[in-house]
Amino acid sequence: MDRRTELLNCAENVARRRGYDGFSYADLADEVGIRKASIHYHFPSKADLAVALIERYASTFGDALAVIDETSDIASDRLAAYVQSYRRALSGGAKLCLCVAFAISRDSLSEEALAELDAFHASSIIWLTKTFELASKDGSVTHTGDPTEEATALLATVEGAQLVARAANKVADFDQATRLFLSRLA
Amino acid sequence: MDRRTELLNCAENVARRRGYDGFSYADLADEVGIRKASIHYHFPSKADLAVALIERYASTFGDALAVIDETSDIASDRLAAYVQSYRRALSGGAKLCLCVAFAISRDSLSEEALAELDAFHASSIIWLTKTFELASKDGSVTHTGDPTEEATALLATVEGAQLVARAANKVADFDQATRLFLSRLA
DNA sequence: GTCTATAGTTTGATAGAC
DNA sequence: GTCTATCAAACTATAGAC
């Protein structure tokens, strides 16, 4: 694995535990084993690092959604897999998804980073809306309401579920918070 | 209003916008109009300020729940008021509730602050569980499941709704994210 | 209670040798 | 690519005058 990737992995890890304002180049240097000045060779400024983090995160997430779409044509399967991906991202209650961790740091982010973050949020809503539209056709989800509304509600549920699981440091709380939604799936 | 209260108000304001790691004594000094050294007279360390913030927040929140309980004996009324209190706290999409803002900064908080935060979280779950137990008796909420599970799910919903509303800077997204739950109320 | 002055650390970032 | 050396700024915090 190249240094840049190693640094991105480390930065994503710590950013999802402590937020953008909660880590420094010194933290990354300690963990990766190089001097903090050397990090500037890969990411000239912390703002550049933030943009790279969000870009990679959005790209990886997009790939995961594509895999979900390929795996099943049934809306309930896709939504269950979506919830499951947020559960996995928790890493036992310690980490949040990058978009949740950065949501609180919005004031510290560059315009470019904010634009990437907003684009990721928008694409999540689009995928969810599309999937709830499918649900209202294939009938695999009970009591479906307006697709856009369902999309926003489910995003809030999985992000909130991560927060309560982190607050209690219990993955079980994520399951409790999402079970009501999952019970609507065929 | 005394200086201490003024500082707490200012700190709560900025902490709910930027998190614990996102503000400094310099920010408070600028806003309140005294020198940053003077703040140490009121709060010797930033850790003391964090504890004071959470204590006051938990106290105010507890009072608000008591008022809700006095206002109506019907579970659905109480839960609607609970959701509404999180909506008001949003301040148009700019602010999160303190527990959400601090959940991301957990690694930077003192043991004492974490204990206060966890106690607040636990008392929220207790109040919600009690209210969902009432709901299963008075029938004012449809499809009620296990009260503790409902409690965790609703907390996740309102906290997640705040996050998506902040991400989009639209209070309307809070409403979209909570409408599905509110539609279950009588 | 608030001030000035300052200590000691950490931060993000640059220059230049290797 | 990584290093040492260094910078200016920001950070939390303390001492002591008023």
Side-chain angles (χ1 to χ4, degrees), chain B residues 3-178:
Chain B
R3 221 351 89 80
R4 188 188 146 90
T5 306
E6 199 179 354
L7 283 165
L8 280 173
N9 291 347
C10 178
E12 183 181 317
N13 212 1
V14 69
R16 285 171 50 192
R17 286 172 200 273
R18 308 209 283 258
Y20 181 74
D21 294 318
F23 77 94
S24 71
Y25 274 28
D27 297 321
L28 308 183
D30 280 354
E31 192 128 346
V32 171
I34 60 176
R35 297 290 170 162
K36 59 180 179 154
S38 310
I39 301 176
H40 287 277
Y41 170 80
H42 302 278
F43 305 99
S45 75
K46 199 182 172 184
D48 296 320
L49 172 59
V51 171
L53 275 177
I54 301 169
E55 272 177 350
R56 189 181 72 154
Y57 190 80
S59 168
T60 306
F61 208 95
D63 292 349
L65 294 184
V67 168
I68 288 175
D69 283 346
E70 283 165 23
T71 303
S72 173
D73 288 330
I74 305 167
S76 62
D77 287 345
R78 292 181 179 178
L79 292 170
Y82 181 85
V83 172
Q84 185 61 22
S85 77
Y86 271 83
R87 187 190 195 279
R88 266 198 310 275
L90 255 184
S91 304
K95 288 195 281 190
L96 300 169
C97 100
L98 193 66
C99 49
V100 173
F102 276 13
I104 294 155
S105 317
R106 284 181 75 87
D107 286 9
S108 303
L109 298 176
S110 66
E111 287 299 320
E112 193 184 353
L114 282 178
E116 298 274 359
L117 207 55
D118 291 346
F120 171 71
H121 182 256
S123 76
S124 288
I125 292 292
I126 288 172
W127 185 88
L128 284 167
T129 301
K130 188 197 70 185
T131 308
F132 276 109
E133 280 165 357
L134 175 63
S136 72
K137 285 177 198 150
D138 72 12
S140 62
V141 181
T142 59
H143 316 110
T144 49
D146 172 65
T148 310
E149 196 165 298
E150 292 265 18
T152 307
L154 180 54
L155 188 57
T157 296
V158 292
E159 293 195 350
Q162 284 199 343
L163 277 178
V164 295
R166 170 144 164 92
N169 214 319
K170 272 197 315 198
V171 191
D173 277 22
F174 181 92
D175 295 330
Q176 282 207 329
T178 53

Side-chain angles (χ1 to χ4, degrees), chain A residues 72-88:
Chain A
S72 173
D73 287 332
I74 305 167
S76 62
D77 287 346
R78 292 181 179 177
L79 292 170
Y82 181 84
V83 172
Q84 185 61 22
S85 77
Y86 271 82
R87 188 190 195 279
R88 266 196 312 275

Side-chain angles (χ1 to χ4, degrees), chain A residues 17-19 21-22 96 100-101 103-108 118 121 143 145-146 148-150 152-153 155-157 159-161 163-164 166-168 173 176-180 184, chain B residues 15-19 21-22 96 100-101 103-107 118 121 143 145-146 148-150 152-153 155-157 159-161 163-164 166-168 173 176-177 179-180 184:
Chain A
R17 287 171 201 273
R18 308 211 284 258
D21 294 319
L96 301 168
V100 173
I104 190 74
S105 316
R106 286 182 73 87
D107 287 8
S108 303
D118 292 345
H121 182 256
H143 317 111
D146 173 64
T148 310
E149 197 165 296
E150 292 266 18
T152 307
L155 188 57
T157 296
E159 294 195 350
L163 277 179
V164 297
R166 170 147 164 90
D173 277 22
Q176 283 207 328
T178 52
R179 194 168 299 134
L180 277 164
R184 291 173 52 204
Chain B
R16 285 171 50 192
R17 286 172 200 273
R18 308 209 283 258
D21 294 318
L96 300 169
V100 173
I104 294 155
S105 317
R106 284 181 75 87
D107 286 9
D118 291 346
H121 182 256
H143 316 110
D146 172 65
T148 310
E149 196 165 298
E150 292 265 18
T152 307
L155 188 57
T157 296
E159 293 195 350
L163 277 178
V164 295
R166 170 144 164 92
D173 277 22
Q176 282 207 329
R179 193 168 300 133
L180 276 165
R184 291 171 53 205

